[in-house]
Amino acid sequence: MKSPLLFLPFLFIGFAQATAQTKSIKNSPTLGDAAPETVGISAERLSRMDGVLQNAVTQGAVPGVAAIVVRNGKIVYHKAFGMADNESNRSLKRDDIFRIASMTKAITSTAVMMLWEEGKFQLDDPISKYIPEFKNQTVLKSFKFLDSTYTTEPVKSEITIRHLLTHTSGLGYGVIDGDERFRAMYHKAGIVDLFTTQPVKIGDNIKKLAKLPLHHHPGEKYVYSEGLDVLGYFIEIMSGMPFDEFLRKRLFDPLGMNDTYFYLPEAKASRLVSIQKPQNGQWVRYPNTFYDTEYPVKGAKAFFSGGAGLSSTAKDYATFLLMYLNGGEVSGKRFLSRKTIETILSNQVGELLGGDKANSSYGLAFGLLNKAGAEKGAKGSEGTFEWGGYFNTNYFADPKEKIIGVIMKQTQSSGDNLNNLFRQIIYQSIDD
């Protein structure tokens, strides 16, 4: 019989590893308020943000704006200016809820990678393995606007899950696609591109989408697409639960993102900020066009768009980004491995962006600022991850400086420079 003393070194090593892991989780930043100086931010310099945001409202650049700044897991700025709805004279509050549109994509990608960590699939699996309608895909060759007929050629290789995550699948984006041929084809096929109050199910929509030709052969180009909508349906298939339920159980509730929904509960509907546009020197509610602007609070509430459907607050989204800066966990709850985070935040598209996007690359969930982009100034460090939404919302997170910035507006048919000024003021306030 071996002496118990022989096991002591192994017991000590195991205890030390467990203690180190517990310490790492315990000491990770959690989102809370702090004085700017305690995290290396000058309160005096950061106070310049008030003037920048208020001036944008006063000068009519935006009707209202909410912003949050986080460093080292601590909120150092969280304010709102202007109006949530000018017609009803409702002032904007910092915890009001905004349609975040394409900011939904990173959340959907995160959910995909959580399932990937469970070994349910490989990133380079063809999507047709799980959604058979994607077999035998084609690429568009010619198109006649007279009758919307077209010719195609077979794809060289199938669309993979990685292609869908990185906008290299060849799928289009219908009504907001840069190619009018695809706008016409998607419209004729009855594809729901972004939002709807109609009783449409994402599975039915994706099955119709799968029958249409692609912009290009999978993997050959970067074209912004409905790939994340496909992956929302994929999540339903792989998890065995509705997409909205999966996000609630696996991400939103554990993270404390209590104001993030596809469709707002009645008790929170009054906090939804109106979409507004400038008209004759005034801000007015944006009319219904290809979508009903009230989709998050009325209608069938059945369509869960993985690419554009969520509404949220500045603080909720900052909490989501903090999970990434923390290496995959928040408040002792682990959502992704540190190594998975590293993969997500690595360039997955090589030189495909190019052109006017040469300052950025793209990972598995976010746009990534590269060295050239960082050197231009006031955008963030190399590796900063970022994106925005259709209704003028924007975010970034800088892993080197441990800074998060989320700025929320709800406008259409207008332009402003606040996203750039927001970052400029943040970075000039660093004082460490």
Side-chain angles (χ1 to χ4, degrees):
M1 178 179 179
K2 294 182 179 179
S3 168
L5 293 175
L6 293 175
F7 293 97
L8 284 177
F10 300 98
L11 291 171
F12 175 77
I13 292 170
F15 175 76
Q17 290 174 336
T19 302
Q21 184 178 20
T22 302
K23 183 178 180 181
S24 174
I25 292 176
K26 183 178 180 181
N27 291 343
S28 65
T30 57
L31 200 61
D33 297 309
E37 288 83 358
T38 64
V39 290
I41 297 288
S42 165
E44 179 184 1
R45 283 175 163 265
L46 188 61
S47 68
R48 294 170 181 171
M49 188 75 77
D50 288 358
V52 167
L53 300 184
Q54 183 59 63
N55 285 344
V57 173
T58 303
Q59 295 171 8
V62 294
V65 55
I68 191 168
V69 181
V70 176
R71 194 177 201 202
N72 294 340
K74 300 303 178 185
I75 300 169
V76 295
Y77 190 91
H78 189 196
K79 295 184 180 182
F81 300 83
M83 308 300 290
D85 181 74
N86 286 56
E87 290 187 17
S88 64
N89 201 36
R90 180 162 70 90
S91 296
L92 184 67
K93 297 179 175 61
R94 68 181 193 175
D95 66 344
D96 275 343
I97 298 172
F98 297 76
R99 301 160 190 80
I100 63 171
S102 285
M103 286 168 57
T104 303
K105 288 179 170 66
I107 291 174
T108 301
S109 299
T110 300
V112 169
M113 296 307 290
M114 292 171 77
L115 291 169
W116 175 77
E117 286 194 331
E118 295 173 10
K120 293 184 179 295
F121 60 91
Q122 299 289 296
L123 289 176
D124 295 313
D125 283 349
I127 189 63
S128 64
K129 181 177 179 180
Y130 310 98
I131 307 176
E133 286 78 8
F134 278 96
K135 284 185 178 296
N136 303 315
Q137 285 248 257
T138 60
V139 175
L140 183 67
K141 286 186 66 178
S142 66
F143 181 85
K144 291 183 179 180
F145 284 98
L146 184 64
D147 56 8
S148 298
T149 58
Y150 52 82
T151 63
T152 64
E153 64 182 17
V155 293
K156 297 175 183 176
S157 60
E158 290 198 58
I159 294 173
T160 67
I161 294 162
R162 192 188 304 272
H163 292 146
L164 294 168
L165 286 167
T166 57
H167 301 287
T168 58
S169 66
L171 290 172
Y173 222 140
V175 72
I176 63 168
D177 200 293
D179 188 326
E180 59 182 326
R181 300 173 302 171
F182 282 82
R183 294 198 296 271
M185 283 189 295
Y186 279 45
H187 176 74
K188 186 175 181 179
I191 302 300
V192 177
D193 299 302
L194 302 166
F195 334 101
T196 184
T197 53
Q198 300 303 308
V200 180
K201 299 292 186 181
I202 55 174
D204 296 335
N205 192 58
I206 297 309
K207 289 173 184 177
K208 288 192 294 184
L209 177 65
K211 298 175 183 178
L212 298 179
L214 305 176
H215 274 270
H216 57 79
H217 293 281
E220 290 189 354
K221 295 181 181 179
Y222 175 99
V223 174
Y224 202 49
S225 76
E226 294 189 35
L228 275 301
D229 287 83
V230 175
L231 290 173
Y233 178 47
F234 171 74
I235 288 168
E236 291 195 336
I237 294 170
M238 303 308 291
S239 69
M241 67 178 75
F243 183 32
D244 64 328
E245 184 180 331
F246 181 90
L247 291 183
R248 178 64 49 197
K249 288 185 175 180
R250 296 290 300 274
L251 273 172
F252 300 157
D253 283 350
L255 278 169
M257 295 173 66
N258 300 320
D259 290 321
T260 303
Y261 301 90
F262 282 107
Y263 300 100
L264 304 187
E266 186 176 348
K268 298 187 179 186
S270 64
R271 291 166 54 195
L272 182 68
V273 180
S274 297
I275 304 169
Q276 299 188 77
K277 71 169 186 173
Q279 181 175 298
N280 300 323
Q282 304 291 324
W283 288 100
V284 299
R285 292 174 189 165
Y286 193 71
N288 293 343
T289 52
F290 66 88
Y291 63 94
D292 187 326
T293 60
E294 299 305 305
Y295 69 86
V297 295
K298 73 176 189 182
K301 301 183 179 181
F303 185 71
F304 309 126
S305 168
L310 289 171
S311 296
S312 188
T313 63
K315 185 176 181 181
D316 266 16
Y317 210 86
T319 300
F320 168 68
L321 296 174
L322 181 64
M323 182 267 287
Y324 273 86
L325 288 192
N326 282 1
E329 61 89 14
V330 173
S331 301
K333 300 183 183 72
R334 180 156 295 282
F335 297 87
L336 292 169
S337 160
R338 175 176 60 82
K339 296 303 294 181
T340 300
I341 296 290
E342 289 175 6
T343 300
I344 292 172
L345 298 181
S346 64
N347 181 4
Q348 298 284 327
V349 300
E351 302 298 320
L352 289 182
L353 287 181
D356 61 352
K357 297 184 178 68
N359 295 324
S360 300
S361 59
Y362 199 87
L364 292 175
F366 307 96
L368 304 171
L369 194 67
N370 63 21
K371 187 174 184 290
E375 288 175 349
K376 287 182 177 290
K379 287 287 189 180
S381 309
E382 183 180 2
T384 291
F385 49 102
E386 57 192 356
W387 210 248
Y390 188 68
F391 302 110
N392 204 358
T393 58
N394 194 267
Y395 69 84
F396 76 96
D398 185 332
K400 180 179 178 182
E401 298 293 345
K402 302 296 181 185
I403 289 176
I404 292 166
V406 180
I407 184 166
M408 302 287 226
K409 298 153 281 179
Q410 292 280 265
T411 61
Q412 292 278 269
S413 304
S414 64
D416 65 80
N417 193 38
L418 274 186
N419 295 343
N420 291 327
L421 286 170
F422 178 56
R423 293 200 201 188
Q424 190 172 325
I425 297 300
I426 291 171
Y427 280 99
Q428 65 84 39
S429 72
I430 294 175
D431 185 20
D432 57 4

